[in-house]
Amino acid sequence: MSKVLSFAAPRRLEFVERPLPPPGAQEVQVRTLYSGISAGTEMTQYRGTNPYLEKRWDVERRLFVADRAGLTYPLEGLGYEQSGQVVELGPGVGGLEVGQLVWGSWGHRSEVVLPLEAVRPRGFSGDPRLGVFARVGAIALNIVHDAEIRLGDTVAVFGLGVVGLLAAQMARLNGGRVIAVDGVDKRLRAAQSLGLEVLDFRAADAAEEIKNLTGRGADVSLEVAGSYPALQSAIRATAYNSKVVVGGFFQGDGTGLRLGEEFHHNRLQLVCSQTSGVSPDLDHRWDRLRLEQTLTGLAAQGRLELLPLISHELPAAEAAQGFDLLDHRPAEALQVVLDFRAVG
């Protein structure tokens, strides 16, 4: 049996037991060691604000339609930041060994049987918790690719959660001058500890300050907060004829956007960066696996700091406290990690 975290209803979690079949041909059984909670997508499912709970995604037309909900409670198998250990190999599996550390996206559950192609051998050295950053790091790298940062560019990053801090580090690796913007003390301190130039929007108007610092505005701005006011500030901070890459997962109506002002007068591009695909200029060469492997490689080389982004580590049995923390006290947290090692 596997213990699986279930969202029984908005803001109500419980573990349920589900049968665990033996691995078949080209399948692998994995025991979860650590699982990261996404402060974006998962929180919309936890709170009940995700659009799939009200509408259906029409795959062929790529359109939300209101004929029925695409998701209904209880929701199981959520979560996409996992690291684990191989416990059994199905017939025909090569390239892995029992006991080997792996990472992937299989949800908050104690054990799972997966197709071989869904299991990634660890590309990190050392701490198995690093595996929880592979997928979320790929999201950040995708944002950086969409930004097309050039050596010497000024890059403003709005939102210093986990994705924002990863994107800021990778933008710096691209040769950009990074200005990291937030209004939460813990996030600003984390950015400073990573050697980033920070701007507290509570102390000064971020757009005006960036224009003053640069003389022209940011060459590209990254919105990674999922906040309409942050997007509006990113638009105002960006130079004429330049680009804002939008990576946040917004909820509800776009209150606070004033698209007749700087957006219109500065001829800005708004580019959506989303994990289901990559830029059309890159999709013949890049996919999710390559993004993830690039992230793991940079971490293995010591060029990215990941473990300092873990603010809370809880036993999996206390998952409800972790979600409640991100829901009601998000200023206290960065990456929340659930420890599944004691789950039988």
Side-chain angles (χ1 to χ4, degrees):
M1 301 294 284
S2 176
K3 292 185 178 178
V4 181
L5 187 64
S6 172
F7 292 14
R11 292 184 168 90
R12 186 159 69 86
L13 306 183
E14 61 186 14
F15 276 99
V16 296
E17 290 194 341
R18 295 291 179 253
L20 189 70
Q26 297 297 308
E27 290 185 331
V28 180
Q29 182 175 334
V30 176
R31 178 172 65 91
T32 304
L33 298 176
Y34 296 98
S35 185
I37 300 176
S38 155
T41 302
E42 281 184 69
M43 293 309 297
T44 69
Q45 296 157 340
Y46 172 77
R47 293 171 175 142
T49 62
N50 191 288
Y52 283 89
L53 294 165
E54 296 182 352
K55 302 175 183 178
R56 174 180 62 88
W57 177 244
D58 185 321
V59 176
E60 292 185 359
R61 294 188 292 166
R62 299 196 65 81
L63 185 72
F64 276 105
V65 291
D67 58 352
R68 66 178 186 275
L71 291 174
T72 57
Y73 293 100
L75 302 175
E76 295 182 14
L78 302 177
Y80 58 82
E81 306 173 16
Q82 282 74 46
S83 69
Q85 189 171 33
V86 175
V87 295
E88 187 175 349
L89 303 174
V93 173
L96 289 176
E97 299 177 354
V98 171
Q100 187 171 352
L101 294 174
V102 295
W103 50 266
S105 301
W106 56 80
H108 303 295
R109 61 182 79 219
S110 61
E111 292 193 60
V112 66
V113 172
L114 297 166
L116 176 60
E117 63 268 18
V119 179
R120 316 297 191 203
R122 185 179 65 173
F124 304 95
S125 58
D127 199 310
R129 293 176 299 171
L130 291 168
V132 305
F133 289 97
R135 179 74 178 278
V136 72
I139 293 169
L141 178 55
N142 205 22
I143 293 171
V144 171
H145 280 185
D146 283 323
E148 299 180 298
I149 297 163
R150 293 169 175 82
L151 187 66
D153 276 351
T154 296
V155 184
V157 180
F158 288 80
L160 303 180
V162 174
V163 178
L165 289 169
L166 289 170
Q169 291 184 69
M170 287 187 276
R172 182 173 58 186
L173 290 177
N174 262 25
R177 173 196 180 183
V178 178
I179 302 175
V181 183
D182 209 299
V184 174
D185 289 335
K186 188 177 189 69
R187 297 173 185 172
L188 293 166
R189 288 195 299 268
Q192 286 178 318
S193 72
L194 295 169
L196 296 168
E197 183 178 353
V198 302
L199 179 56
D200 184 345
F201 65 70
R202 299 169 300 181
D205 182 286
E208 292 187 9
E209 190 68 17
I210 289 169
K211 292 285 178 85
N212 291 337
L213 289 170
T214 61
R216 68 180 64 85
D219 296 290
V220 61
S221 292
L222 314 182
E223 187 289 318
V224 207
S227 158
Y228 292 111
L231 176 56
Q232 176 66 15
S233 188
I235 288 170
R236 295 185 65 237
T238 305
Y240 174 79
N241 232 5
S242 296
K243 180 190 297 185
V244 179
V245 178
V246 185
F249 187 18
F250 297 88
Q251 303 296 296
D253 293 337
T255 304
L257 288 179
R258 304 180 69 86
L259 299 182
E261 297 181 4
E262 290 85 4
F263 171 72
H264 179 78
H265 287 75
N266 285 332
R267 298 190 77 255
L268 296 180
Q269 300 177 56
L270 285 184
V271 176
C272 176
S273 184
Q274 202 268 346
T275 186
S276 65
V278 301
S279 166
D281 295 334
L282 300 176
D283 64 3
H284 62 296
R285 292 182 283 119
W286 283 85
D287 57 16
R288 181 181 293 167
L289 176 59
R290 186 177 178 187
L291 291 168
E292 292 173 350
Q293 290 175 331
T294 300
L295 181 283
T296 62
L298 290 171
Q301 297 161 24
R303 301 174 71 189
L304 287 179
E305 293 285 346
L306 301 183
L307 292 180
L309 305 185
I310 298 176
S311 60
H312 294 77
E313 185 175 321
L314 303 171
E318 298 177 12
Q321 289 92 311
F323 278 89
D324 184 75
L325 171 67
L326 289 170
D327 186 22
H328 291 109
R329 305 192 311 279
E332 299 177 15
L334 287 170
Q335 180 64 65
V336 178
V337 171
L338 303 178
D339 184 347
F340 272 83
R341 292 175 299 169
V343 179

Coordinates of all heavy atoms in Angstrom, one line a residue, residues 81-141:
E81 N 7.5 17.9 -7.0 CA 8.8 18.1 -6.6 C 9.3 17.0 -5.7 O 9.2 17.1 -4.5 CB 9.0 19.4 -5.9 CG 8.4 20.6 -6.6 CD 8.4 21.9 -5.8 OE1 9.1 21.9 -4.7 OE2 7.8 22.9 -6.1
Q82 N 9.7 15.8 -6.3 CA 10.0 14.7 -5.4 C 11.4 14.1 -5.7 O 11.9 14.2 -6.8 CB 9.0 13.5 -5.7 CG 7.6 13.7 -5.1 CD 6.8 14.8 -5.8 OE1 6.7 14.8 -7.0 NE2 6.2 15.6 -5.0
S83 N 12.0 13.6 -4.6 CA 13.2 12.8 -4.7 C 12.9 11.5 -4.0 O 12.2 11.4 -3.0 CB 14.4 13.5 -4.2 OG 14.3 13.6 -2.7
G84 N 13.5 10.4 -4.4 CA 13.3 9.1 -3.8 C 14.4 8.1 -4.1 O 15.5 8.4 -4.6
Q85 N 14.1 6.9 -3.8 CA 15.1 5.8 -3.9 C 14.4 4.6 -4.6 O 13.3 4.2 -4.2 CB 15.5 5.4 -2.5 CG 16.7 4.5 -2.4 CD 17.3 4.3 -1.0 OE1 16.5 4.4 -0.1 NE2 18.6 4.2 -0.9
V86 N 15.1 4.0 -5.5 CA 14.6 2.8 -6.2 C 14.5 1.6 -5.2 O 15.5 1.3 -4.6 CB 15.4 2.5 -7.4 CG1 15.0 1.2 -8.1 CG2 15.4 3.6 -8.4
V87 N 13.3 0.9 -5.2 CA 13.2 -0.2 -4.3 C 13.0 -1.5 -5.1 O 13.2 -2.6 -4.6 CB 12.1 0.0 -3.2 CG1 12.5 1.1 -2.3 CG2 10.8 0.2 -3.9
E88 N 12.5 -1.4 -6.3 CA 12.3 -2.6 -7.1 C 12.2 -2.2 -8.6 O 11.7 -1.2 -9.0 CB 11.0 -3.3 -6.7 CG 10.8 -4.7 -7.4 CD 9.5 -5.4 -6.9 OE1 8.9 -4.9 -5.9 OE2 9.2 -6.4 -7.6
L89 N 12.8 -3.1 -9.4 CA 12.8 -2.9 -10.9 C 11.9 -3.9 -11.6 O 12.0 -5.1 -11.2 CB 14.3 -3.0 -11.4 CG 15.3 -2.1 -10.8 CD1 16.7 -2.5 -11.3 CD2 15.0 -0.6 -11.1
G90 N 11.2 -3.5 -12.5 CA 10.3 -4.4 -13.3 C 11.2 -5.0 -14.4 O 12.3 -4.7 -14.6
P91 N 10.6 -6.1 -15.0 CA 11.3 -6.8 -16.1 C 11.7 -5.8 -17.2 O 11.0 -4.9 -17.6 CB 10.2 -7.7 -16.6 CG 9.3 -7.9 -15.5 CD 9.2 -6.6 -14.8
G92 N 13.0 -6.0 -17.6 CA 13.5 -5.2 -18.8 C 14.0 -3.9 -18.4 O 14.5 -3.2 -19.3
V93 N 14.1 -3.5 -17.2 CA 14.6 -2.2 -16.8 C 16.1 -2.2 -16.7 O 16.7 -3.1 -16.0 CB 14.0 -1.7 -15.4 CG1 14.7 -0.5 -15.0 CG2 12.5 -1.5 -15.5
G94 N 16.7 -1.3 -17.5 CA 18.2 -1.2 -17.4 C 18.6 0.2 -17.1 O 17.8 1.2 -17.2
G95 N 19.8 0.4 -16.6 CA 20.3 1.8 -16.3 C 20.0 2.3 -14.9 O 20.4 3.3 -14.6
L96 N 19.3 1.5 -14.1 CA 19.0 1.8 -12.7 C 19.3 0.6 -11.9 O 19.3 -0.5 -12.3 CB 17.5 2.2 -12.5 CG 17.1 3.6 -13.1 CD1 15.6 3.8 -12.9 CD2 17.8 4.8 -12.5
E97 N 19.6 0.9 -10.6 CA 19.8 -0.1 -9.6 C 19.0 0.1 -8.4 O 18.6 1.2 -8.0 CB 21.3 -0.2 -9.2 CG 22.3 -0.4 -10.4 CD 23.7 -0.3 -9.9 OE1 23.9 0.0 -8.7 OE2 24.6 -0.6 -10.7
V98 N 18.6 -1.0 -7.7 CA 17.9 -0.9 -6.4 C 18.8 -0.2 -5.5 O 20.0 -0.4 -5.4 CB 17.6 -2.3 -5.9 CG1 17.1 -2.2 -4.4 CG2 16.6 -3.0 -6.8
G99 N 18.2 0.8 -4.8 CA 18.9 1.6 -3.8 C 19.4 3.0 -4.4 O 19.8 3.9 -3.7
Q100 N 19.3 3.1 -5.7 CA 19.7 4.3 -6.4 C 18.8 5.5 -6.1 O 17.6 5.3 -6.1 CB 19.8 4.1 -7.9 CG 20.4 5.2 -8.7 CD 20.7 4.8 -10.1 OE1 20.5 3.7 -10.5 NE2 21.1 5.8 -10.9
L101 N 19.4 6.7 -5.9 CA 18.6 7.9 -5.7 C 18.1 8.5 -7.0 O 18.9 8.5 -8.0 CB 19.4 8.9 -4.9 CG 19.8 8.5 -3.5 CD1 20.8 9.6 -2.9 CD2 18.6 8.4 -2.6
V102 N 16.9 8.9 -7.1 CA 16.3 9.4 -8.3 C 15.4 10.6 -7.9 O 15.1 10.8 -6.8 CB 15.4 8.3 -9.0 CG1 16.3 7.2 -9.5 CG2 14.3 7.8 -8.1
W103 N 15.0 11.3 -9.0 CA 14.0 12.4 -8.8 C 13.0 12.4 -9.9 O 13.2 11.7 -10.9 CB 14.8 13.8 -8.7 CG 15.7 14.0 -9.8 CD1 17.1 13.8 -9.8 CD2 15.5 14.6 -11.1 NE1 17.7 14.2 -11.0 CE2 16.7 14.7 -11.8 CE3 14.3 15.1 -11.7 CZ2 16.8 15.2 -13.1 CZ3 14.4 15.6 -13.0 CH2 15.6 15.6 -13.7
G104 N 11.9 13.1 -9.7 CA 10.9 13.2 -10.7 C 9.7 13.9 -10.1 O 9.8 14.7 -9.1
S105 N 8.5 13.7 -10.7 CA 7.3 14.3 -10.4 C 6.2 13.3 -10.2 O 5.6 12.9 -11.2 CB 6.9 15.4 -11.4 OG 7.9 16.4 -11.6
W106 N 6.0 12.8 -9.0 CA 5.0 11.7 -8.8 C 4.0 12.0 -7.6 O 3.3 11.2 -7.3 CB 5.7 10.4 -8.6 CG 6.7 10.3 -7.5 CD1 6.4 10.2 -6.1 CD2 8.1 10.3 -7.6 NE1 7.6 10.1 -5.4 CE2 8.7 10.2 -6.3 CE3 9.0 10.4 -8.6 CZ2 10.0 10.2 -6.0 CZ3 10.4 10.4 -8.4 CH2 10.9 10.3 -7.1
G107 N 4.1 13.2 -7.1 CA 3.1 13.6 -6.1 C 3.5 13.3 -4.7 O 4.5 12.5 -4.5
H108 N 2.7 13.8 -3.8 CA 3.0 13.6 -2.3 C 2.5 12.2 -2.0 O 1.3 12.0 -1.6 CB 2.3 14.7 -1.5 CG 2.7 16.1 -1.9 ND1 4.0 16.6 -1.7 CD2 2.0 17.1 -2.4 CE1 4.0 17.8 -2.1 NE2 2.8 18.2 -2.5
R109 N 3.3 11.2 -2.0 CA 2.9 9.8 -1.7 C 4.2 9.1 -1.2 O 5.3 9.4 -1.6 CB 2.3 9.1 -2.9 CG 3.2 9.0 -4.1 CD 2.5 8.4 -5.3 NE 1.7 9.3 -6.0 CZ 0.4 9.0 -6.4 NH1 0.0 7.8 -6.3 NH2 -0.3 9.9 -7.1
S110 N 4.0 8.0 -0.4 CA 5.1 7.3 0.2 C 5.8 6.4 -0.8 O 7.0 6.3 -0.8 CB 4.6 6.5 1.4 OG 3.6 5.5 0.9
E111 N 5.1 5.8 -1.7 CA 5.7 4.9 -2.7 C 4.9 5.0 -4.0 O 3.7 5.4 -4.0 CB 5.8 3.5 -2.3 CG 6.7 3.2 -1.1 CD 7.0 1.8 -0.9 OE1 7.5 1.1 -1.8 OE2 6.7 1.3 0.2
V112 N 5.6 4.7 -5.1 CA 4.9 4.8 -6.4 C 5.6 3.9 -7.4 O 6.7 3.5 -7.3 CB 5.0 6.3 -6.9 CG1 6.4 6.7 -7.2 CG2 4.1 6.5 -8.1
V113 N 4.8 3.4 -8.4 CA 5.3 2.6 -9.5 C 5.2 3.5 -10.7 O 4.1 4.0 -11.0 CB 4.5 1.3 -9.7 CG1 5.0 0.6 -11.0 CG2 4.8 0.4 -8.5
L114 N 6.3 3.7 -11.4 CA 6.4 4.7 -12.5 C 7.0 4.0 -13.8 O 7.8 3.1 -13.7 CB 7.3 5.8 -12.1 CG 6.9 6.7 -11.0 CD1 8.1 7.6 -10.5 CD2 5.7 7.6 -11.4
P115 N 6.6 4.5 -14.9 CA 7.3 4.1 -16.2 C 8.8 4.5 -16.1 O 9.1 5.6 -15.5 CB 6.6 4.9 -17.3 CG 5.3 5.3 -16.7 CD 5.5 5.5 -15.2
L116 N 9.6 3.7 -16.6 CA 11.1 4.0 -16.5 C 11.4 5.4 -17.0 O 12.2 6.1 -16.4 CB 11.8 3.0 -17.4 CG 13.3 3.2 -17.5 CD1 14.0 3.1 -16.1 CD2 14.0 2.1 -18.4
E117 N 10.7 5.9 -18.1 CA 11.1 7.2 -18.6 C 10.7 8.4 -17.7 O 11.1 9.5 -17.9 CB 10.4 7.4 -20.0 CG 8.9 7.4 -20.0 CD 8.3 6.0 -20.2 OE1 9.0 5.0 -20.1 OE2 7.1 6.0 -20.6
A118 N 9.9 8.1 -16.6 CA 9.4 9.1 -15.7 C 10.4 9.3 -14.5 O 10.2 10.2 -13.7 CB 8.0 8.8 -15.2
V119 N 11.4 8.4 -14.4 CA 12.3 8.4 -13.3 C 13.7 9.0 -13.8 O 14.2 8.5 -14.8 CB 12.5 7.0 -12.8 CG1 13.5 7.0 -11.6 CG2 11.2 6.4 -12.3
R120 N 14.2 10.0 -13.1 CA 15.4 10.6 -13.5 C 16.5 10.2 -12.5 O 16.4 10.5 -11.3 CB 15.3 12.1 -13.4 CG 14.1 12.7 -14.1 CD 14.0 12.4 -15.5 NE 12.9 13.2 -16.2 CZ 12.3 12.8 -17.3 NH1 12.6 11.7 -17.9 NH2 11.3 13.6 -17.8
P121 N 17.6 9.6 -13.0 CA 18.7 9.3 -12.1 C 19.3 10.6 -11.5 O 19.3 11.7 -12.2 CB 19.8 8.6 -13.0 CG 19.0 8.1 -14.1 CD 17.8 9.1 -14.3
R122 N 19.7 10.6 -10.3 CA 20.2 11.8 -9.7 C 21.4 12.4 -10.4 O 22.4 11.7 -10.7 CB 20.6 11.5 -8.2 CG 21.0 12.8 -7.4 CD 21.3 12.4 -6.0 NE 22.5 11.6 -5.9 CZ 23.2 11.3 -4.8 NH1 22.7 11.7 -3.7 NH2 24.2 10.5 -4.8
G123 N 21.3 13.7 -10.7 CA 22.4 14.4 -11.3 C 23.2 15.2 -10.3 O 24.1 15.9 -10.7
F124 N 22.7 15.2 -9.1 CA 23.3 16.0 -8.0 C 24.3 15.1 -7.3 O 24.2 13.9 -7.3 CB 22.3 16.5 -7.0 CG 21.1 17.3 -7.6 CD1 20.0 16.6 -8.0 CD2 21.2 18.6 -7.8 CE1 18.9 17.4 -8.5 CE2 20.2 19.3 -8.3 CZ 19.0 18.7 -8.7
S125 N 25.2 15.8 -6.6 CA 26.0 15.0 -5.6 C 25.5 15.4 -4.2 O 25.1 16.5 -4.0 CB 27.5 15.4 -5.7 OG 27.7 16.8 -5.6
G126 N 25.6 14.4 -3.3 CA 25.2 14.8 -1.9 C 23.8 14.7 -1.6 O 23.1 13.7 -1.8
D127 N 23.2 15.7 -1.0 CA 21.9 15.7 -0.3 C 20.8 15.4 -1.2 O 20.6 16.0 -2.3 CB 21.7 17.1 0.2 CG 20.7 17.2 1.3 OD1 19.6 16.6 1.1 OD2 21.0 17.8 2.4
P128 N 20.0 14.3 -0.9 CA 18.9 13.9 -1.7 C 17.8 15.0 -1.8 O 16.9 14.9 -2.7 CB 18.4 12.6 -1.1 CG 18.8 12.7 0.3 CD 20.2 13.4 0.3
R129 N 17.8 15.9 -0.9 CA 16.7 17.0 -0.9 C 16.9 17.9 -2.2 O 16.0 18.5 -2.6 CB 16.8 17.9 0.3 CG 16.4 17.2 1.6 CD 16.6 18.1 2.8 NE 18.0 18.5 2.9 CZ 18.4 19.4 3.8 NH1 17.6 20.1 4.6 NH2 19.7 19.7 3.9
L130 N 18.1 17.9 -2.8 CA 18.3 18.7 -4.0 C 17.3 18.3 -5.1 O 17.0 19.1 -5.9 CB 19.7 18.5 -4.5 CG 20.8 19.1 -3.6 CD1 22.2 18.7 -4.0 CD2 20.7 20.7 -3.6
G131 N 16.9 17.0 -5.1 CA 16.0 16.5 -6.2 C 14.7 17.2 -6.2 O 14.1 17.3 -7.3
V132 N 14.2 17.8 -5.1 CA 12.9 18.5 -5.1 C 13.0 19.8 -6.0 O 11.9 20.3 -6.3 CB 12.4 18.8 -3.7 CG1 12.4 17.5 -2.9 CG2 13.2 19.9 -3.0
F133 N 14.2 20.2 -6.3 CA 14.3 21.5 -7.1 C 14.4 21.3 -8.6 O 14.4 22.3 -9.3 CB 15.5 22.3 -6.6 CG 15.4 22.8 -5.2 CD1 16.0 22.2 -4.1 CD2 14.8 24.0 -5.0 CE1 15.9 22.7 -2.9 CE2 14.7 24.6 -3.7 CZ 15.2 23.9 -2.7
A134 N 14.4 20.0 -9.0 CA 14.7 19.8 -10.5 C 13.5 20.4 -11.3 O 13.8 21.2 -12.3 CB 14.8 18.3 -10.8
R135 N 12.3 20.1 -11.0 CA 11.2 20.6 -11.8 C 10.9 22.1 -11.6 O 10.7 22.8 -12.6 CB 9.9 19.8 -11.4 CG 8.7 20.1 -12.2 CD 8.7 19.7 -13.6 NE 7.5 20.0 -14.3 CZ 6.3 19.3 -14.3 NH1 6.3 18.2 -13.5 NH2 5.3 19.7 -15.0
V136 N 10.9 22.5 -10.4 CA 10.7 23.9 -10.2 C 11.9 24.8 -10.7 O 11.7 25.9 -11.2 CB 10.5 24.2 -8.6 CG1 11.8 24.1 -7.9 CG2 9.9 25.6 -8.4
G137 N 13.1 24.2 -10.7 CA 14.2 24.9 -11.3 C 14.1 25.0 -12.8 O 14.5 25.9 -13.5
A138 N 13.5 23.9 -13.4 CA 13.3 23.9 -14.9 C 12.3 25.0 -15.3 O 12.4 25.7 -16.3 CB 12.7 22.6 -15.3
I139 N 11.3 25.3 -14.4 CA 10.3 26.3 -14.6 C 11.1 27.7 -14.6 O 10.8 28.5 -15.5 CB 9.2 26.3 -13.6 CG1 8.4 25.1 -13.7 CG2 8.4 27.6 -13.6 CD1 7.4 24.8 -12.5
A140 N 12.0 27.9 -13.7 CA 12.7 29.1 -13.6 C 13.6 29.3 -14.8 O 13.8 30.4 -15.4 CB 13.6 29.1 -12.3
L141 N 14.3 28.2 -15.3 CA 15.2 28.2 -16.4 C 14.4 28.6 -17.7 O 14.8 29.3 -18.5 CB 15.9 26.9 -16.6 CG 16.9 26.8 -17.8 CD1 17.9 28.0 -17.8 CD2 17.6 25.5 -17.8

